[in-house]
Amino acid sequence: MGPLLEALEQTDKAVVRRAVEELVALAVAEPRVADLLDRRLHAAPRWTVAYALGQMARPSTLCLDVLAHGLGSGDQDLRWATQLLLTDLGKRYPEAEARLQALLRDGSATQRRMAVYCLRDIHEGQDAGAAGIGRAPAFLEAMRDPEPLVRVAVVTSLAKTAEVSAEALDALTRAATGDADARVRNAATFAVKKLAAARTRAP
């Protein structure tokens, strides 16, 4: 385990990826691997350790905090790896989804945008009547986010849902004509047309 733990400190992404994969596989038969990583994370809260630990056990508050920090990284590969892991964790653990909901309010612009994608994928495939993102107050609030790319992420996510609330549809309609950013207006126009067509086809 020593070399694998040391490999988590490397800058070579391929080396880190292999180390994570081997540690996760080892943890299946040896539960103490997760305990060792948890202690290591508390000693030095590094993303690589949290990323490995998040694939082994229910994430602690510290693990979620470190992963949330990674969601705002300037490294695109790291961001999307974190997004996939947090999406998986959010589907299984309510505290992971709650952390993402908090990021919608309190995170950086990048964290807020990535949290939108996580929450979208967590609720993907829900029944139309489920309380998914199409009816979530947090998403309606995010339609007023000061960062245009966050608003674009919300709009495109709502366009993929089976059903949205009347309030969300009204917000999309207003954004289609009145948002200050052309990217948001274009995305909202497409979303309104798509949702309207879906309602027309509904029995």
Side-chain angles (χ1 to χ4, degrees):
M1 281 200 44
L4 292 177
L5 293 174
E6 290 178 8
L8 294 180
E9 311 293 330
Q10 301 299 313
T11 56
D12 188 314
K13 293 179 181 179
V15 171
V16 172
R17 183 169 58 250
R18 286 194 298 271
V20 169
E21 291 171 352
E22 292 186 35
L23 284 167
V24 171
L26 186 61
V28 174
E30 184 52 80
R32 74 185 181 95
V33 174
D35 294 335
L36 287 171
L37 281 175
D38 185 61
R39 290 200 294 271
R40 196 177 185 92
L41 184 66
H42 278 80
R46 293 176 59 88
W47 178 86
T48 52
V49 179
Y51 181 68
L53 187 57
Q55 298 178 61
M56 298 176 188
R58 188 167 190 154
S60 64
T61 299
L62 176 59
C63 185
L64 289 174
D65 286 346
V66 176
L67 290 174
H69 182 75
L71 210 56
S73 170
D75 185 322
Q76 182 176 346
D77 292 335
L78 192 151
R79 283 201 313 273
W80 285 105
T82 306
Q83 187 250 329
L84 290 173
L85 178 56
L86 281 174
T87 296
D88 179 63
L89 293 173
K91 290 179 178 180
R92 293 185 287 149
Y93 305 118
E95 62 269 29
E97 182 175 359
R99 188 69 182 86
L100 291 165
Q101 294 280 2
L103 280 180
L104 273 184
R105 301 186 303 270
D106 306 325
S108 68
T110 301
Q111 285 175 317
R112 298 196 305 274
R113 176 166 55 88
M114 297 303 293
V116 168
Y117 296 136
C118 289
L119 291 166
R120 175 199 67 191
D121 293 344
I122 287 170
H123 291 280
E124 186 177 20
Q126 282 190 333
D127 294 335
I133 61 168
R135 297 177 179 276
F139 256 61
L140 192 59
E141 179 66 26
M143 284 286 292
R144 297 190 288 271
D145 194 282
E147 169 56 50
L149 289 180
V150 175
R151 301 199 300 276
V152 169
V154 174
V155 169
T156 56
S157 295
L158 289 174
K160 294 184 176 183
T161 62
E163 184 178 334
V164 298
S165 65
E167 292 82 3
L169 185 58
D170 183 57
L172 285 170
T173 302
R174 291 198 306 273
T177 57
D179 196 279
D181 193 281
R183 294 167 296 181
V184 181
R185 293 196 302 273
N186 292 338
T189 298
F190 172 80
V192 170
K193 290 180 179 178
K194 185 174 183 293
L195 291 167
R199 287 190 172 192
T200 302
R201 292 193 300 269

